[in-house]
Amino acid sequence: MVNLEWFRTFKTIYETGSLTGAAEALYVSQPGISLHLSSLEAYVGHKLFDRSSRKLLPTERGKLLYNYILEALNKLEEAEEHFHRSTEAERPTVSVGMCFETFQFTLEPYLPTLPFNVIIKFGEYPEMLSDLDAGILDLIITPQKGDYPQLKYEPFFKERIVVVGGAKTNTAKFKKLLKADDKQGILDWLKSQIWYGTTGDMEHLRRFWFNNFDKRPDFKPNYIVPNICSILRCLSVGDGIAVVPDFLAKQELDEGKVRLIWEGSKIHENTLYFGTRKKCMYGQEIAKVKEIFLRKMVKAD
């Protein structure tokens, strides 16, 4: 099925005469505009524009398509404007991407206080970066930066990746191994423990392991659960260990439900970034979301 946004993009390219002009008019990156156009051309099976040195010139098929859809699109845009004006005039909608645990720890309690609509999307970081560039998301919280010229990144926090364990986990032997700096003994002890992992992302474990032992982990966790919040709840009532970002476990560590087992012989930290487009129409709303993260993260630090 054709995506109606392709038609809106096509109409804007037709009227502005360039991909750049359409990107500025729609607040979408130029690669996103190009993707919409190529997708529509593939769908209709015809070239819709000829590239000249200065602007895009519509082909005969392009002119025909423009005239055919113009009235319908104008009516849709009028309906959209009328609906927005009558029901949401004071409530813009901001789309934010982040991991599930970060949302629970930071933004979730504050959603009812925000004077605008918020759509939260969870997913893998490469997908979030692509969605941000395409205009689907307005802000992402990410430890990764992509190669997108229209995006900018603002560092705001460093998360430390650590090994935590349940309050009942016996670490007496491990402490002796650490004191003796017995690297092989440390490795063997860790591998002998009950491990928890998540279904979506084992990157923390892989990076921590390689950073400390110069190789990938050669074992699988005993229990695979949906997310880090589940791991912490499980550890709170039993033994076992897991590799997690320290700030996500702050409450459980403070309450003694889990405890810090090891920060590693080499500290492993990730920088978290606010990712936004360089041109965005929701600057004030995004600033409010950033403020919540900064306030919450400083408290966790």
Side-chain angles (χ1 to χ4, degrees):
M1 180 179 295
V2 67
N3 186 332
L4 290 179
E5 284 300 315
W6 298 350
F7 286 133
R8 190 202 297 263
T9 299
F10 164 75
K11 173 178 175 287
T12 309
I13 296 171
Y14 191 102
E15 294 172 349
T16 61
S18 71
L19 298 179
T20 301
E24 291 176 352
L26 295 174
Y27 294 95
V28 179
S29 70
Q30 187 168 322
I33 294 293
S34 297
L35 178 61
H36 284 187
L37 177 58
S38 61
S39 298
L40 181 59
E41 287 181 328
Y43 181 82
V44 301
H46 296 283
K47 190 176 181 181
L48 299 175
F49 293 97
D50 288 320
R51 276 74 173 169
S52 72
S53 58
R54 291 187 177 182
K55 61 186 301 185
L56 296 179
L57 300 175
T59 63
E60 290 304 315
R61 289 280 183 175
K63 293 176 183 178
L64 180 64
L65 179 62
Y66 177 80
N67 290 325
Y68 195 85
I69 67 172
L70 180 59
E71 184 179 356
L73 275 180
N74 284 340
K75 286 184 177 180
L76 283 173
E77 288 174 355
E78 287 174 8
E80 180 183 33
E81 179 63 21
H82 175 75
F83 179 80
H84 176 76
R85 203 169 43 237
S86 62
T87 64
E88 296 188 41
E90 302 302 324
R91 293 189 69 87
T93 298
V94 176
S95 298
V96 185
M98 69 190 81
C99 74
F100 174 77
E101 295 87 354
T102 300
F103 168 70
Q104 280 201 319
F105 183 80
T106 54
L107 195 57
E108 185 179 52
Y110 296 91
L111 278 183
T113 71
L114 295 175
F116 49 88
N117 300 329
V118 179
I119 298 174
I120 303 296
K121 182 177 181 181
F122 307 125
E124 301 294 327
Y125 295 117
E127 179 187 1
M128 290 186 199
L129 288 164
S130 177
D131 285 349
L132 179 64
D133 184 63
I136 299 171
L137 294 173
D138 301 301
L139 168 70
I140 63 172
I141 312 302
T142 175
Q144 300 176 14
K145 296 193 290 185
D147 187 19
Y148 294 95
Q150 301 303 317
L151 303 186
K152 62 179 181 179
Y153 307 93
E154 178 186 348
F156 70 94
F157 186 76
K158 286 186 180 294
E159 61 177 9
R160 182 169 294 185
I161 310 303
V162 298
V163 180
V164 298
K168 298 179 181 178
T169 303
N170 188 340
T171 59
K173 181 179 179 181
F174 186 66
K175 290 178 180 179
K176 293 180 180 179
L177 294 169
L178 289 177
K179 187 174 182 179
D181 195 23
D182 184 349
K183 188 172 183 177
Q184 184 60 48
I186 292 170
L187 176 63
D188 292 340
W189 186 90
L190 289 172
K191 289 174 62 175
S192 70
Q193 301 305 301
I194 299 296
W195 276 88
Y196 285 84
T198 61
T199 53
D201 184 13
M202 298 296 290
E203 190 65 20
H204 292 316
L205 174 59
R206 286 193 292 268
R207 288 178 178 266
F208 183 90
W209 211 259
F210 192 84
N211 196 45
N212 285 281
F213 303 113
D214 298 317
K215 60 181 179 179
R216 295 168 65 88
D218 55 353
F219 64 93
K220 293 182 179 180
N222 303 87
Y223 301 112
I224 303 293
V225 297
N227 51 62
I228 293 175
C229 297
S230 298
I231 290 177
L232 295 172
R233 284 193 293 269
C234 291
L235 290 178
S236 295
V237 296
D239 59 5
I241 60 177
V243 170
V244 301
D246 59 348
F247 81 93
L248 291 178
K250 183 180 187 307
Q251 180 176 341
E252 287 79 4
L253 288 168
D254 289 345
E255 295 175 354
K257 294 179 179 179
V258 301
R259 53 179 166 166
L260 179 65
I261 302 295
W262 191 37
E263 292 186 330
S265 57
K266 301 176 183 177
I267 300 298
H268 177 52
E269 292 183 330
N270 289 327
T271 299
L272 295 182
Y273 299 90
F274 294 127
T276 58
R277 290 187 301 281
K278 292 179 180 177
K279 294 183 178 181
C280 182
M281 60 190 300
Y282 298 120
Q284 292 182 346
E285 291 77 15
I286 288 173
K288 287 185 178 295
V289 176
K290 287 181 178 180
E291 181 184 348
I292 291 172
F293 273 88
L294 292 172
R295 187 166 63 244
K296 188 74 173 180
M297 294 303 204
V298 167
K299 187 184 294 186
D301 200 2

